[in-house]
Amino acid sequence: MSARYAFLVCLGAVALLGGAASPPPLDNGLARTPPMGWNSWNHFGCDVSAQLIRETADAIVASGMRDAGYQYIVIDDCWQVARDRSGRIVADSARFPGGMKPLADYVHSKRLKFGLYTDAGRQTCQGRPGTYGSEEVDARTYAEWGVDYVKEDWCHAEGLDAPAQYAKFRDALAKAGRPIVFSICEWGSNHPWAWGPHTGNLWRTTGDIGDRWASMIGIVDLSSQYALVAGPGGWNDPDMLEVGNGGMTDDEYRAHFSLWAIMAAPLMAGNDVRTMSATTRDILVNKEVIAVDQDSLGAPGMLVQTPVPDLQVWAKPLADSGRAVVLFNRSALQTVITVSWRALGIRGPARVRDLWNHTDLGTSTGRFSAPVPAHGAVMVRISP
Ligand code: GLA
């Protein structure tokens, strides 16, 4: 880490946390790198079923996504319909015949992990039963079913205190005795960057992503402000990926994926992996870009240069003392963008490798420039 970056990290952490001593980060041993997987919501909404989940698990294996690191298969809203007389949550028996346990077993048999969605309030966003008042029984039920990841939303939570409600579920999960990644989804409305690190493994920083360029870059601008609080065990979550859902061009999706990786964001695919095109697959399984996201240093990248409005340079320090760099062109014209070694805190010659074309670009000194497509990104690894 460069001295400048380390200084900014300290300064930012103090500013974001208000200078007060904060409780130690959650240490449940999970999410040492940003979680990777798939979630049903962005593509399927409420149209979830056991069959979809089984076919998705199969496709994640067959496409090479599992081998690229995608692990958690998460069913979002609408799997639950009621509580039984003992207060236990009940899955939709028409869509999930046999319930969740056999489905979790199937997912595990593929060497994948299984996740579910709930809501900290009285109901989920789609009006299904929420966890409020049932934290312990829900955490126990999920542990019995073999759940490895829980996303907890924030609908129908009027009058509730977000840090307290999420802490309640964190404690219930710990008591249930199964390692379960805890994904906080309260959209950034109660400053989760301040209490998320001691409460969950990831916390949404913004409202929902849409499958549109303007939505994606709006989220980047908001979420990246909180970069300094994230690290191994606790990550800012700028929401799930839209790659392959059809609302952006392939260049825009490559930029989306590059930016999520440079921010060290969770990489939760949100497309139909059973029918994706070869181009979508190649974006999602780009191992060199994924390696930046999953780098063991766990330092989220930041915006380091804005040569002119709409042209940006993002950089992320890596464990091997290299830097990942995204040259990000937000404009509608192809343009050359330059990153200077000064902005990266490095000196002398450095090797440059293109992470989308998988080619070595030789050694540069002082700066590196490349043409960047309109609404697109070039991503390189710079090794001093
Ligand atoms: C909220 C969340 C989304 C999704 C939906 C489901 O909008 O932010 O990610 O979980 O609810 O209803």
Side-chain angles (χ1 to χ4, degrees):
M1 192 185 295
S2 72
R4 178 167 174 267
Y5 191 85
F7 172 72
L8 285 171
V9 168
C10 296
L11 196 69
V14 169
L16 282 167
L17 301 173
S22 57
L26 174 66
D27 185 13
N28 60 5
L30 301 170
R32 304 308 299 169
T33 61
M36 292 177 65
W38 175 91
N39 174 298
S40 54
W41 183 254
N42 281 357
H43 191 88
F44 295 95
C46 271
D47 193 11
V48 289
S49 66
Q51 189 184 343
L52 170 69
I53 298 308
R54 277 195 299 266
E55 289 175 6
T56 296
D58 293 349
I60 283 188
V61 176
S63 62
M65 284 177 70
R66 181 189 65 190
D67 292 342
Y70 295 86
Q71 200 183 7
Y72 295 98
I73 311 287
V74 181
I75 311 176
D76 209 278
D77 210 344
C78 303
W79 63 266
Q80 62 284 74
V81 285
R83 290 192 181 274
D84 68 14
R85 257 191 245 130
S86 69
R88 228 167 121 98
I89 192 85
V90 177
D92 181 333
S93 62
R95 286 171 174 267
F96 297 93
M100 289 300 171
K101 177 80 173 71
L103 191 53
D105 290 346
Y106 184 83
V107 169
H108 291 148
S109 77
K110 300 280 156 183
R111 288 194 283 119
L112 292 165
K113 294 193 164 160
F114 183 65
L116 284 178
Y117 161 102
T118 186
D119 188 290
R122 298 161 188 93
Q123 290 183 353
T124 73
C125 294
Q126 304 303 317
R128 310 303 177 94
T131 284
Y132 179 67
S134 304
E135 288 80 6
E136 296 218 348
V137 63
D138 281 359
R140 264 200 318 274
T141 305
Y142 297 157
E144 279 167 32
W145 288 347
V147 167
D148 308 293
Y149 183 115
V150 175
K151 167 177 170 180
E152 194 179 44
D153 213 339
W154 189 238
C155 277
H156 303 288
E158 295 73 19
L160 301 179
D161 178 60
Q165 288 308 315
Y166 283 98
K168 215 180 253 182
F169 202 55
R170 170 201 63 198
D171 295 344
L173 288 173
K175 215 168 141 191
R178 182 179 170 87
I180 297 180
V181 170
F182 185 25
S183 161
I184 295 170
C185 176
E186 74 61 86
W187 325 308
S189 39
N190 293 276
H191 303 97
W193 36 88
W195 47 270
H198 57 261
T199 311
N201 296 110
L202 57 158
W203 46 90
R204 280 274 298 279
T205 45
T206 72
D208 290 5
I209 193 168
D211 185 16
R212 295 178 312 277
W213 172 255
S215 164
M216 189 276 286
I217 61 174
I219 282 184
V220 170
D221 292 343
L222 285 173
S223 197
S224 56
Q225 296 174 35
Y226 312 109
L228 298 167
V229 302
W235 307 96
N236 288 311
D237 177 7
D239 208 357
M240 302 162 303
L241 296 165
E242 291 285 9
V243 175
N245 279 333
M248 292 186 238
T249 66
D250 291 335
D251 277 340
E252 290 175 339
Y253 281 139
R254 267 182 221 105
H256 173 19
F257 199 69
S258 304
L259 290 159
W260 261 236
I262 205 110
M263 292 192 293
L267 297 178
M268 299 297 285
N271 60 317
D272 186 347
V273 293
R274 302 168 306 173
T275 57
M276 66 184 155
S277 68
T279 308
T280 295
R281 178 198 167 277
D282 288 349
I283 294 174
L284 290 173
V285 302
N286 184 329
K287 290 189 183 170
E288 295 197 78
V289 173
I290 291 172
V292 169
D293 180 78
Q294 297 288 303
D295 185 76
S296 62
L297 185 61
M302 294 194 290
L303 178 62
V304 296
Q305 282 183 288
T306 307
V308 296
D310 279 348
L311 305 185
Q312 298 185 331
V313 178
W314 293 73
K316 177 184 196 295
L318 302 172
D320 67 359
S321 38
R323 306 284 191 280
V325 169
V326 171
L327 307 178
F328 182 31
N329 181 1
R330 304 163 70 125
S331 83
L333 290 174
Q334 171 166 314
T335 315
V336 171
I337 302 183
T338 300
V339 50
S340 76
W341 277 200
R342 198 154 173 264
L344 301 178
I346 60 175
R347 287 170 199 275
R351 280 176 293 118
V352 181
R353 180 165 174 84
D354 185 320
L355 305 187
W356 282 109
N357 291 324
H358 308 294
T359 47
D360 289 324
L361 301 178
T363 297
S364 297
T365 304
R367 71 189 60 80
F368 168 78
S369 303
V372 187
H375 283 197
V378 163
M379 188 163 186
V380 293
R381 193 174 180 118
I382 297 185
S383 308

